[in-house]
Amino acid sequence: MTRRLLALAVLLCGIVSLRAPVGAQAAQDRYDLVILNARILDGSGNPWFRGDIGIRGDRIVRVGWLAHVTETTALIDAREQIVAPGFIDVHSHALESLTRPELRDARALLAQGVTTVVGNPDGGGPTDLKQQAAALDADVGVNVALLIGHASVRRAVIGGGDRQPTPAELEKMRAIVRQAAADGAFGLSSGLFYRPGRFATTEEVIALAREAGGVYSSHIRDEGNYDVGVVASVDEVIRVAQEAGVRGVVTHMKCLGPDSWGLSGTIVANIDAARARGVEIFADQYPYEASSTSLAAAVMLGESADGAREAMDGAESRARFLALVKENVRRRGGPASIVIASGQGAAGLAGRNLEEIAKSRNVTPEQAATDIVIAGGASIVSFNMSEADIETIMRQPWTMGSSDGGLTLPGPSVPHPRNNGAFPRRIARYVRERQTVTLEHAVRSMTSLPARVFGLTGRGEIREGAFADLVIFDPARIVDRATYTNPHELAEGVDAVVVNGRIARKAAAFTGVRAGRVLKRQ
């Protein structure tokens, strides 16, 4: 009998005594969970190696051959599959859903191998992080790290208007951010494309990022060519990181719209130059050619229904407004590229594009878009990125994986498939099919790199002493099943997931265990 089979027989059949020997060896060999027969990708970017993993409590205590295992309470036979650190989603909208009883177990995340999410992106989320953490701190399926949102802070102090804070108001904003940092925030997020973040000066953002410390993660002012331009907008993140003394992250980095296709090379060169002079600047990316946002944000720069209604009141104002909407639709790739996902103003329109809707109503696409916003608005999926830019950004050693997705339940809406597929897609499409990056590169971008950028101490690696957040998957079979027309399908190919040492998924089935925690910056 081989050593591997003998060890398995000892564990499963009790052929020899399960009572550990007395002394130091007994303590070393006593595990709560053992993973056998693994191909271990430790998250560093190095090639895989064969071995076993011994877990005690919430920590990995042994990586290697467990020849002396004599006592355990749980066993997973990896069967030569890849065992990697649990994936980390650094741009997640799942936090609000994680407080709902039917979504707290985070099945769509676990099915992708995600064990940790970073929340409150794009400048959003509450300003009271202590209260938010209390709502999340027990009985959730994945770990949660919190950012403090710039727009939320701005709105709390000066509302949503287009003006700059007074010195006294800026100090109030700083105080909110300081408290959030004291409560464990990992940094500041901003959404400078959206209202009211777009009204802030760079100097205001620098002041608040300095108070937050850690990471500054920004949905930049312009991902295409609406106004500032994508190159200048990335340069602004570089400036904030340098002057505030924080790590800058260009979040869900892209070149949006045909006018900006090909600019990824310039952006990469500018980030490389900044890093060469000592600025800590990174990016994250979801692996899709379509983005998703609100229709109002996409084609009328966040104008409200009331604002759109007012702009349409009067021939001259109406002409100007519709011309703006028409141009922004063009910048997104045209009306056929903009697909309705859901929304109060789009009942019965989910899955239909703006061109189809306009033709059915016998109006122009810009009029159809305006009517939908005035009727209550809608979220959209917008096809606006080039494969060449996606691959250029993905290949960079400073690019992390993310989803920009949340947790949803099946229904009539047709949201972006990234909610259910972003992490397996990076492997299935860009490692296995297109060979854009290696498996080692992809796993590093989803594990150790985000852990180090965000300061998630003890996570993102397989090593002795690290937290036992692990994913077991077949690299030949892992795949995103969610599509643009059927986005609610769960991913496949993730056999097992361990969160803080507890098995949340085994043999491709959910266990019901909710072992996630709210993490705090050290």
Side-chain angles (χ1 to χ4, degrees):
M1 180 179 290
T2 66
R3 185 197 68 80
R4 314 298 297 138
L5 292 176
L6 179 59
L8 194 59
V10 168
L11 287 166
L12 295 179
C13 303
I15 294 175
V16 299
S17 172
L18 293 181
R19 195 174 298 277
V22 177
Q25 188 64 52
Q28 291 173 4
D29 291 345
R30 198 173 290 123
Y31 306 109
D32 297 316
L33 171 62
V34 168
I35 300 174
L36 291 174
N37 303 315
R39 286 193 287 161
I40 299 171
L41 266 179
D42 64 8
S44 67
N46 289 330
W48 63 265
F49 59 92
R50 283 190 173 86
D52 306 327
I53 300 172
I55 296 165
R56 192 178 304 129
D58 61 1
R59 301 277 183 161
I60 298 169
V61 295
R62 182 82 171 96
V63 179
W65 296 118
L66 303 185
H68 302 290
V69 172
T70 56
E71 183 174 313
T72 187
T73 58
L75 171 72
I76 296 176
D77 183 359
R79 303 187 310 277
E80 291 286 311
Q81 296 185 96
I82 292 293
V83 180
F87 301 147
I88 298 170
D89 186 350
V90 298
H91 186 121
S92 174
H93 291 274
L95 266 58
E96 183 177 350
S97 298
L98 281 172
T99 62
R100 296 171 57 183
E102 67 272 29
L103 291 171
R104 289 186 78 96
D105 56 1
R107 291 191 173 197
L109 297 175
L110 295 173
Q112 297 181 64
V114 173
T115 58
T116 300
V117 298
V118 180
N120 300 335
D122 300 332
T127 57
D128 187 343
L129 297 194
K130 186 177 291 187
Q131 184 179 54
Q132 184 184 28
L136 290 164
D137 203 23
D139 200 30
V140 290
V142 295
N143 300 310
V144 173
L146 305 178
L147 300 171
I148 179 68
H150 162 258
S152 298
V153 172
R154 194 175 213 273
R155 191 178 288 109
V157 175
I158 65 174
D162 182 2
R163 71 176 180 86
Q164 303 312 306
T166 66
E169 289 170 335
L170 183 59
E171 181 50 42
K172 288 182 181 178
M173 293 164 70
R174 282 179 167 141
I176 293 173
V177 174
R178 280 197 300 271
Q179 183 60 56
D183 290 337
F186 285 82
L188 179 77
S189 77
S190 75
L192 302 184
F193 177 71
Y194 299 110
R195 299 171 181 238
R198 67 184 301 112
F199 304 136
T201 63
T202 306
E203 289 74 19
E204 174 184 315
V205 177
I206 291 169
L208 298 185
R210 189 178 291 124
E211 295 289 353
V215 170
Y216 169 62
S217 176
S218 179
H219 179 130
I220 57 178
R221 288 189 191 272
D222 190 348
E223 295 177 320
N225 71 330
Y226 279 87
D227 183 17
V228 177
V230 63
V231 174
S233 296
V234 170
D235 288 345
E236 182 180 32
V237 181
I238 294 171
R239 181 189 166 196
V240 172
Q242 182 168 7
E243 296 189 22
V246 296
R247 296 186 183 105
V249 176
V250 182
T251 195
H252 49 49
M253 191 161 100
K254 62 179 74 72
C255 296
L256 188 151
D259 293 350
S260 66
W261 289 354
L263 289 176
S264 58
T266 302
I267 296 168
V268 166
N270 289 357
I271 290 177
D272 282 340
R275 292 185 58 80
R277 65 175 186 266
V279 183
E280 289 192 276
I281 186 77
F282 302 86
D284 68 70
Q285 175 197 46
Y286 53 82
Y288 292 90
E289 69 276 29
S291 62
S292 182
T293 188
S294 73
L295 182 61
V299 302
M300 41 189 85
L301 303 182
E303 188 58 80
S304 66
D306 288 342
R309 194 177 292 109
E310 182 179 345
M312 295 291 282
D313 186 16
E316 186 176 341
S317 173
R318 176 190 179 95
R320 282 198 308 270
F321 187 74
L322 289 178
L324 171 68
V325 174
K326 182 177 181 179
E327 174 62 6
N328 287 340
V329 168
R330 183 199 68 78
R331 287 169 172 155
R332 287 248 161 191
S337 73
I338 298 174
V339 180
I340 301 298
S342 64
Q344 184 178 342
L349 299 179
R352 299 177 64 189
N353 68 51
L354 199 56
E355 184 173 80
E356 295 168 339
I357 295 167
K359 286 180 178 178
S360 70
R361 295 181 175 184
N362 198 28
V363 297
T364 63
E366 54 270 25
Q367 181 67 59
T370 302
D371 291 343
I372 291 169
V373 170
I374 289 174
S379 62
I380 62 169
V381 173
S382 173
F383 294 84
N384 48 46
M385 286 172 266
S386 79
E387 199 67 66
D389 286 324
I390 292 170
E391 293 191 340
T392 294
I393 293 166
M394 188 177 293
R395 289 189 185 104
Q396 305 314 309
W398 35 257
T399 298
M400 300 173 283
S402 68
S403 74
D404 195 19
L407 289 167
T408 61
L409 294 172
S413 64
V414 190
H416 199 295
R418 64 194 182 190
N419 296 324
N420 291 323
F423 287 82
R425 182 179 175 86
R426 185 173 296 269
I427 296 171
R429 181 171 177 81
Y430 292 99
V431 173
R432 194 168 66 231
E433 296 173 15
R434 299 182 68 91
Q435 299 179 356
T436 304
V437 294
T438 65
L439 181 61
E440 293 85 355
H441 178 110
V443 167
R444 174 183 172 272
S445 75
M446 300 185 288
T447 58
S448 69
L449 180 61
R452 292 187 183 188
V453 170
F454 280 81
L456 304 173
T457 306
R459 301 186 191 269
E461 302 172 277
I462 295 180
R463 61 171 174 79
E464 293 174 6
F467 286 99
D469 293 341
L470 301 167
V471 55
I472 301 175
F473 66 92
D474 182 348
R477 197 171 58 84
I478 188 170
V479 67
D480 52 310
R481 291 299 184 196
T483 66
Y484 291 109
T485 55
N486 190 13
H488 296 291
E489 293 294 316
L490 295 184
E492 294 180 359
V494 170
D495 186 70
V497 179
V498 177
V499 181
N500 292 313
R502 298 178 65 194
I503 302 172
R505 183 174 170 89
K506 185 177 182 182
F510 300 103
T511 66
V513 167
R514 300 172 183 172
R517 300 170 181 168
V518 175
L519 310 179
K520 294 189 177 181
R521 183 165 144 226
Q522 302 300 310

